[in-house]
Amino acid sequence: MLEEIEKITREVLKKITPARADRARLEKASRTLESKVSAVCAEFGVDAIVRLEGSVAKDTWLREDPDIDVFVRLPTSVPRKQLGEIGLKVAKKATQGQEQIERFAEHPYLETFIDNTRVNIVPCYNSMPSEWLSATDRTPYHTDYVNRRLSKPLRKEVRLLKKFMKGIQVYGAEIKVGGFSGYLCELLVLHFGGFVRTLQAFSQHMPRRTVDIEGYYANRQRELDLLFKELLVVVDPVDQARNVASAVHPQQLHSFAAASRAFLQTPSIEFFYPLKMQPLSVEELHNTIADRGSSLVFLTCDKVQAVPDVLWGQLYRTQKALRKQLQLNDFKVLRDAVWSEENAIFTIFVFELESRILSPAKKHVGPPLELLKECDRFLAKCSDNSSVVAGPFIEGGRWVVEVRRKFTDAADLLRSKLKSGGRDMGVAELIAENLRKDFLILIGEDVTEHYIYNEGFAGFLTEFLSGKPFWLEKPCYFSR
Amino acid sequence: MLEEIEKITREVLKKITPARADRARLEKASRTLESKVSAVCAEFGVDAIVRLEGSVAKDTWLREDPDIDVFVRLPTSVPRKQLGEIGLKVAKKATQGQEQIERFAEHPYLETFIDNTRVNIVPCYNSMPSEWLSATDRTPYHTDYVNRRLSKPLRKEVRLLKKFMKGIQVYGAEIKVGGFSGYLCELLVLHFGGFVRTLQAFSQHMPRRTVDIEGYYANRQRELDLLFKELLVVVDPVDQARNVASAVHPQQLHSFAAASRAFLQTPSIEFFYPLKMQPLSVEELHNTIADRGSSLVFLTCDKVQAVPDVLWGQLYRTQKALRKQLQLNDFKVLRDAVWSEENAIFTIFVFELESRILSPAKKHVGPPLELLKECDRFLAKCSDNSSVVAGPFIEGGRWVVEVRRKFTDAADLLRSKLKSGGRDMGVAELIAENLRKDFLILIGEDVTEHYIYNEGFAGFLTEFLSGKPFWLEKPCYFSR
């Protein structure tokens, strides 16, 4: 099996390792940019250290998507409020005449392109370790640490791990993905000693895993356990108070563990290069929906305009609130998901329910007999209540009644709860604003129009209906 | 309120206290029987102590249903196997010419009638306390204890408590009822000091209550707690190893607690003398069933021929097994009950379900990711399984699939499981025998024929549909 894996990784490395020409091109572009930014700093009288950081500086970038990150390290005397402002001013001047996009992380930074290569010009403080003033202050130290520790052969391994994670869609710390950052990949390879070894470790899944490369918590495991609550903890070698894996959502950790196990059992290049998914035809879509017997309920509204991390934070929060509301009203949610896309005009939430329609009658369990006053109040409330169908009667030491449900149709429930936006039930602010203007509840095949209209959504829904990760798709996947 | 209660209890006492003539008649009948049984014993050369026991001997009987219990205490030298045999022989000879019914408790005894009064002739051993050889050996000691301790005024209180318990249907230790025995009523009145005081105590319901009149476990509460697991423990004054309340089903304890509280809050003679329940008309029945929106599923078969305690043991066991089977298959059971009657030709189980029909799709939760081998097996099983609708996917750190349900109709489920009797799923033996011969599943209005045919069943179903204990019926029951 290891031979098979080696054959595959060789093939992958051929594709993802930057060629000499790529390197040269990027190096030149970086140096030019560095000088330009430095010059502008001098011109503006800004006392800054300008340096290339990130995957290009560490030589762990993938040939297919280089990202030039130039950091402008400002003196700690610069007020916090002016950091972004100065950074933007310098960056804009240095890239004058090029496309410029203002982005926001903790503070604004500038995105631009040189020869189709994305370039980020990011301001930060030249602060000392453990005296961080902004989140990006650590980045130069990360670059230094990795360059000092990561051997040349291991850089290949990092590339493989990154590409594998991209393939199975767990790469990237942005909120939409909630996955593994590039720096995290570097640390994992450093700690486990390679790509396959990292996969081997994670394939032996454990509910919680802590990695402490520098041994900051040697003999203080309990302290580490109390400090960090996440399922995966990788103590930052440049900051013992920070978990590099804090953005990794449990779902993504689990996907990585399961995919690692699957790859080691049945290696295939498709983990790195997934086949393009073919959306179902409309007829197939209708058959699939009809065949499974569950109910698909869609909620769609205009797309919210916001930067991705804000947008996806709001979308996920709203998805959770809607799911909870359905469950509170006894609908059995089999699965749920949300779809949105940069250039789409709509956003769509999908809920697969066991059944959209519930029986009108349900059991309502009241207080236990020993809570005397509560029982009196419960019985009084039941005695002139038209929603009571049977009882009150005693069951298991509690008063119980059968009552008529308020909502027997999930679509009615959502319509009723969302007509004023749904802020009170936890819908995120920007989404609630859009819902208040207008929304649509679609049931099953009603979604066809949206499906035909947007290929991205069609692909998403096809994947959702299958439910299976692509790397489990092979029919005889598990050899006996 | 206490005045109101006194007025009611005075009225009840007038009806339930035996008149002088009743006493005289019963005393005469008892003496005659005692002598006859003694004479037969002498004739057969049986060295027995013959004595009147039970409520008549203790003067705690209700005028409406006197029960003469004559006990034949045999020497402990008589072999255990012959106890019933000798008892029956003696009893039959002594009541020759009268209607004779052989009954079984722990051993056979004879039931007969003198002037429409039920008479039981019961054999037991003349054993010493704590050297019991049969369950009935304690009875003479119970008689002695109560006669020694219970004052004349308290006997009235016992009558009230018994009648109250009869009214709210928690009186009687037989399996069908699972309620309070006469002796238990006597001990409760003795301990709490009266009828109202007993109700006051139980109306302040507590999850578990222990009563130890003779203080056998004084300062040994922990030992008492370990010895007896029931929710109500009343240590037998003549046997510290026995809980007099062991036959009290939690449901009946709870009913008594709740009814006690209701009576003390709103006293009414109806607790003692419930109004006769009027079965719904067929039209009302149909409306009630249609209106509530739940599904009623009936299972009916020929009545099992067995003595009541055996019959009801089997019926309850079967009811529980059927409920469990429905629940295992995801049907939400709102309530369930079983009906049978001495002279009926059928027995009927009723299940009120939220819905008789379930969605075809459901979530099936597999092993957590850290159980590696189990996960491999689970995935292998799912990969060529036609019942899988979607997935496997990971959720909350476990593999999960959506599968098609085996049974989506509760009627189909029952039909399929019961066609061979259902012994394997826990249906009791005698019921399974009858089911194997023939049974019928009735849905909702299908039950009409049985409803019209048997008034007893009609009354039962009317009460079941209401669900409310009759003593909660008053519309403005709970005063604010």
Side-chain angles (χ1 to χ4, degrees):
Chain A
M1 207 56 94
L2 276 174
E3 248 171 66
E4 178 69 18
I5 291 175
E6 215 162 293
K7 209 181 108 197
I8 291 167
T9 53
R10 250 200 319 273
E11 198 180 332
V12 173
L13 275 174
K14 253 186 247 164
K15 299 176 187 230
I16 61 173
T17 310
R20 196 181 301 246
D22 300 320
R23 285 177 202 278
R25 186 175 55 80
L26 232 67
E27 206 152 297
K28 194 177 149 233
S30 306
R31 296 294 159 232
T32 312
L33 189 63
E34 268 181 341
S35 322
K36 262 196 206 164
V37 174
S38 292
V40 173
C41 284
E43 185 188 331
F44 287 170
V46 174
D47 176 23
I49 302 169
V50 177
R51 200 180 80 172
L52 180 69
E53 309 287 348
S55 61
V56 174
K58 294 179 280 190
D59 191 24
T60 56
W61 53 291
L62 300 183
R63 184 183 187 182
E64 66 205 35
D65 58 354
D67 239 21
I68 297 178
D69 296 313
V70 168
F71 273 58
V72 182
R73 294 165 85 181
L74 297 167
T76 54
S77 57
V78 172
R80 188 70 180 78
K81 278 187 179 171
Q82 289 179 28
L83 184 75
E85 204 178 296
I86 296 174
L88 274 183
K89 211 173 78 180
V90 168
K92 281 185 178 172
K93 181 79 193 267
T95 59
Q96 227 169 12
Q98 289 159 27
E99 184 191 0
Q100 296 180 331
I101 309 163
E102 282 187 38
R103 298 269 183 205
F104 294 83
E106 198 197 16
H107 45 250
Y109 66 92
L110 197 79
E111 179 182 297
T112 178
F113 291 87
I114 301 180
D115 301 343
N116 287 323
T117 299
R118 195 203 325 270
V119 171
N120 301 308
I121 302 174
V122 184
C124 73
Y125 282 107
N126 184 21
S127 53
M128 295 298 292
S130 80
E131 291 174 8
W132 317 114
L133 292 174
S134 87
T136 39
D137 295 359
R138 293 183 194 85
T139 304
Y141 292 93
H142 291 164
T143 307
D144 292 345
Y145 181 81
V146 171
N147 277 333
R148 198 166 65 242
R149 296 284 318 270
L150 201 70
S151 68
K152 210 156 181 191
L154 281 190
R155 288 168 203 234
K156 281 186 194 171
E157 303 288 309
V158 170
R159 286 197 178 91
L160 283 171
L161 183 58
K162 283 185 176 181
K163 184 62 185 165
F164 181 84
M165 287 191 170
K166 276 186 122 176
I168 62 165
Q169 296 172 3
V170 301
Y171 184 71
E174 61 267 33
I175 287 177
K176 181 184 176 180
V177 178
F180 296 70
S181 68
Y183 179 49
L184 180 53
C185 288
E186 289 153 2
L187 293 181
L188 291 176
V189 165
L190 201 54
H191 177 71
F192 292 108
F195 164 66
V196 171
R197 286 188 185 169
T198 302
L199 263 54
Q200 280 166 342
F202 279 86
S203 72
Q204 304 287 317
H205 180 68
M206 43 184 79
R208 179 173 150 98
R209 184 188 301 272
T210 55
V211 171
D212 178 16
I213 300 175
E214 290 297 315
Y216 290 127
Y217 297 90
N219 304 319
R220 293 192 299 152
Q221 182 68 36
R222 205 180 131 63
E223 203 172 313
L224 192 157
D225 286 341
L226 287 170
L227 265 171
F228 303 103
K229 289 292 157 209
E230 293 89 357
L231 302 187
L232 176 62
V233 179
V234 178
V235 179
D236 193 341
V238 312
D239 182 355
Q240 66 167 70
R242 180 172 174 259
N243 173 14
V244 180
S246 66
V248 178
H249 192 281
Q251 183 65 26
Q252 300 299 68
L253 173 63
H254 295 143
S255 283
F256 178 52
S260 294
R261 189 164 177 81
F263 177 76
L264 294 173
Q265 288 180 338
T266 319
S268 150
I269 197 160
E270 284 167 27
F271 285 80
F272 300 89
Y273 293 96
L275 295 176
K276 204 172 144 37
M277 210 268 316
Q278 213 50 39
L280 298 171
S281 72
V282 168
E283 199 194 332
E284 286 169 329
L285 174 74
H286 291 182
N287 289 342
T288 302
I289 291 177
D291 183 50
R292 63 177 52 200
S294 59
S295 302
L296 288 168
V297 177
F298 302 89
L299 164 66
T300 176
C301 64
D302 283 354
K303 186 181 174 292
V304 165
Q305 297 306 326
V307 298
D309 272 2
V310 171
L311 171 66
W312 284 97
Q314 296 245 324
L315 290 174
Y316 287 149
R317 195 135 41 90
T318 303
Q319 181 189 350
K320 198 174 158 188
L322 293 170
R323 182 203 308 139
K324 200 176 156 195
Q325 195 58 223
L326 286 163
Q327 288 169 335
L328 279 175
N329 285 276
D330 300 332
F331 292 96
K332 287 208 175 164
V333 180
L334 294 171
R335 276 180 309 144
D336 53 287
V338 55
W339 179 85
S340 190
E341 217 176 53
E342 190 116 17
N343 299 314
I345 55 167
F346 63 88
T347 282
I348 199 158
F349 296 88
V350 47
F351 295 92
E352 185 179 14
L353 308 178
E354 253 197 28
S355 175
R356 196 191 107 210
I357 307 292
L358 294 179
S359 157
K362 70 160 185 171
K363 208 184 254 189
H364 175 65
V365 177
L369 290 181
E370 60 268 27
L371 299 183
L372 306 169
K373 289 287 163 208
E374 283 84 343
C375 284
D376 290 352
R377 240 175 284 132
F378 181 80
L379 291 173
K381 240 200 290 183
C382 292
S383 81
D384 53 355
N385 192 329
S386 65
S387 75
V388 169
V389 179
F393 48 89
I394 300 170
E395 199 183 272
R398 290 172 168 271
W399 281 108
V400 175
V401 276
E402 276 177 51
V403 292
R404 236 181 290 275
R405 280 204 166 80
K406 204 165 163 206
F407 294 101
T408 58
D409 183 338
D412 289 345
L413 168 70
L414 292 178
R415 264 185 220 109
S416 156
K417 296 278 177 187
L418 297 178
K419 64 171 179 265
S420 58
R423 284 291 285 148
D424 50 331
M425 51 165 270
V427 171
E429 200 176 343
L430 301 176
I431 315 283
E433 253 172 46
N434 277 14
L435 289 174
R436 223 176 295 125
K437 282 180 224 149
D438 198 17
F439 66 83
L440 217 54
I441 304 280
L442 306 168
I443 307 294
E445 292 189 8
D446 297 353
V447 84
T448 309
E449 226 176 288
H450 288 73
Y451 189 87
I452 295 169
Y453 182 80
N454 190 304
E455 211 188 334
F457 173 64
F460 158 83
L461 189 57
T462 298
E463 270 183 33
F464 178 83
L465 289 172
S466 139
K468 220 166 168 177
F470 75 86
W471 39 266
L472 267 189
E473 274 301 330
K474 293 196 191 172
C476 56
Y477 188 75
F478 282 83
S479 48
R480 298 283 210 142
Chain B
M1 207 56 92
L2 277 174
E3 246 172 67
E4 178 68 19
I5 293 175
E6 214 162 293
K7 209 181 110 195
I8 291 167
T9 55
R10 251 201 318 274
E11 199 180 331
V12 173
L13 275 173
K14 253 187 244 164
K15 298 177 188 230
I16 61 173
T17 311
R20 197 181 300 248
D22 299 320
R23 284 178 202 279
R25 185 175 56 81
L26 231 67
E27 208 151 298
K28 193 175 151 238
S30 306
R31 298 294 160 234
T32 311
L33 188 63
E34 270 181 339
S35 325
K36 261 196 206 164
V37 174
S38 291
V40 173
C41 284
E43 185 188 330
F44 286 168
V46 175
D47 176 24
I49 303 168
V50 177
R51 202 179 80 171
L52 180 69
E53 309 285 350
S55 62
V56 174
K58 293 179 281 191
D59 190 24
T60 56
W61 53 290
L62 299 183
R63 185 183 186 182
E64 65 204 36
D65 59 353
D67 238 20
I68 296 178
D69 295 313
V70 168
F71 272 57
V72 183
R73 295 165 85 179
L74 298 168
T76 54
S77 57
V78 171
R80 189 69 181 77
K81 278 189 180 169
Q82 288 179 27
L83 184 74
E85 205 179 297
I86 295 174
L88 273 183
K89 212 174 77 179
V90 168
K92 280 184 179 174
K93 181 81 192 265
T95 58
Q96 225 167 16
Q98 289 159 28
E99 184 193 1
Q100 297 181 329
I101 309 163
E102 282 186 39
R103 298 267 182 207
F104 293 82
E106 198 197 16
H107 45 249
Y109 66 93
L110 198 78
E111 178 180 297
T112 177
F113 291 87
I114 301 180
D115 302 343
N116 286 323
T117 299
R118 195 205 326 270
V119 171
N120 301 308
I121 303 173
V122 184
C124 73
Y125 282 108
N126 184 21
S127 52
M128 296 299 291
S130 81
E131 291 174 8
W132 318 113
L133 293 174
S134 87
T136 40
D137 295 359
R138 293 181 194 86
T139 305
Y141 292 94
H142 291 165
T143 307
D144 293 345
Y145 181 82
V146 170
N147 278 333
R148 198 166 65 243
R149 294 285 318 271
L150 202 70
S151 67
K152 210 157 181 190
L154 281 190
R155 289 170 202 235
K156 280 186 195 172
E157 304 287 309
V158 170
R159 285 196 178 92
L160 283 171
L161 183 59
K162 283 185 176 180
K163 184 61 184 166
F164 181 84
M165 287 190 168
K166 277 186 122 175
I168 63 164
Q169 296 172 3
V170 302
Y171 184 71
E174 62 269 30
I175 288 176
K176 180 183 176 181
V177 178
F180 296 70
S181 69
Y183 179 49
L184 180 53
C185 288
E186 288 153 3
L187 294 181
L188 291 177
V189 165
L190 201 53
H191 178 72
F192 292 108
F195 164 67
V196 171
R197 287 187 183 171
T198 303
L199 263 54
Q200 279 167 341
F202 279 86
S203 72
Q204 304 288 317
H205 180 67
M206 44 183 82
R208 178 173 151 98
R209 184 188 301 271
T210 55
V211 170
D212 178 16
I213 300 175
E214 291 297 316
Y216 290 128
Y217 296 89
N219 304 319
R220 292 192 298 151
Q221 182 69 34
R222 205 179 131 64
E223 203 171 314
L224 192 157
D225 286 340
L226 288 170
L227 264 170
F228 303 103
K229 289 292 158 209
E230 293 90 356
L231 301 189
L232 175 63
V233 178
V234 178
V235 179
D236 193 341
V238 311
D239 182 355
Q240 65 167 71
R242 181 173 172 260
N243 174 14
V244 180
S246 67
V248 179
H249 193 281
Q251 183 66 25
Q252 300 299 67
L253 172 62
H254 294 144
S255 283
F256 178 54
S260 294
R261 187 161 178 84
F263 177 76
L264 294 174
Q265 287 181 338
T266 318
S268 149
I269 197 159
E270 283 166 28
F271 285 79
F272 300 89
Y273 292 98
L275 295 177
K276 203 171 146 36
M277 211 267 317
Q278 213 50 39
L280 299 171
S281 71
V282 169
E283 198 193 333
E284 287 168 328
L285 174 74
H286 290 183
N287 289 342
T288 304
I289 292 176
D291 183 50
R292 62 177 53 200
S294 60
S295 302
L296 288 167
V297 177
F298 302 89
L299 164 66
T300 176
C301 64
D302 283 354
K303 186 183 174 290
V304 165
Q305 298 306 325
V307 298
D309 272 2
V310 171
L311 171 66
W312 284 97
Q314 297 245 323
L315 289 174
Y316 288 148
R317 196 135 39 91
T318 303
Q319 181 189 350
K320 198 173 158 190
L322 293 170
R323 182 202 310 138
K324 199 175 156 196
Q325 195 59 222
L326 286 164
Q327 288 169 336
L328 279 176
N329 285 275
D330 300 333
F331 293 96
K332 286 208 176 164
V333 180
L334 293 172
R335 277 180 309 144
D336 52 289
V338 56
W339 179 85
S340 190
E341 217 176 53
E342 189 114 19
N343 299 315
I345 56 168
F346 63 89
T347 282
I348 199 158
F349 296 88
V350 47
F351 295 91
E352 185 179 15
L353 308 178
E354 252 197 29
S355 175
R356 198 192 107 210
I357 307 292
L358 294 179
S359 157
K362 71 160 183 171
K363 207 184 255 186
H364 176 65
V365 177
L369 290 180
E370 61 268 28
L371 299 183
L372 306 169
K373 289 287 162 209
E374 283 84 343
C375 285
D376 290 352
R377 240 176 284 132
F378 181 81
L379 292 173
K381 241 201 289 183
C382 291
S383 82
D384 55 352
N385 192 330
S386 66
S387 75
V388 169
V389 178
F393 48 89
I394 300 170
E395 198 183 273
R398 289 172 167 271
W399 281 108
V400 174
V401 274
E402 277 177 37
V403 292
R404 237 181 290 274
R405 280 205 165 79
K406 205 165 162 204
F407 294 101
T408 58
D409 183 338
D412 289 345
L413 168 70
L414 291 178
R415 264 185 221 109
S416 156
K417 295 278 177 189
L418 297 177
K419 63 172 181 265
S420 58
R423 285 290 283 148
D424 50 331
M425 50 164 271
V427 171
E429 199 176 344
L430 302 175
I431 315 284
E433 253 172 45
N434 276 14
L435 290 175
R436 221 176 296 125
K437 283 180 222 148
D438 198 17
F439 67 83
L440 218 54
I441 304 280
L442 306 168
I443 307 294
E445 291 190 6
D446 296 353
V447 83
T448 310
E449 226 175 288
H450 288 73
Y451 189 88
I452 295 168
Y453 183 80
N454 189 304
E455 211 187 337
F457 173 64
F460 158 84
L461 189 57
T462 298
E463 269 182 35
F464 177 84
L465 289 172
S466 139
K468 218 165 169 176
F470 74 86
W471 41 265
L472 267 189
E473 274 300 331
K474 292 196 191 171
C476 55
Y477 188 75
F478 281 83
S479 49
R480 302 277 211 141

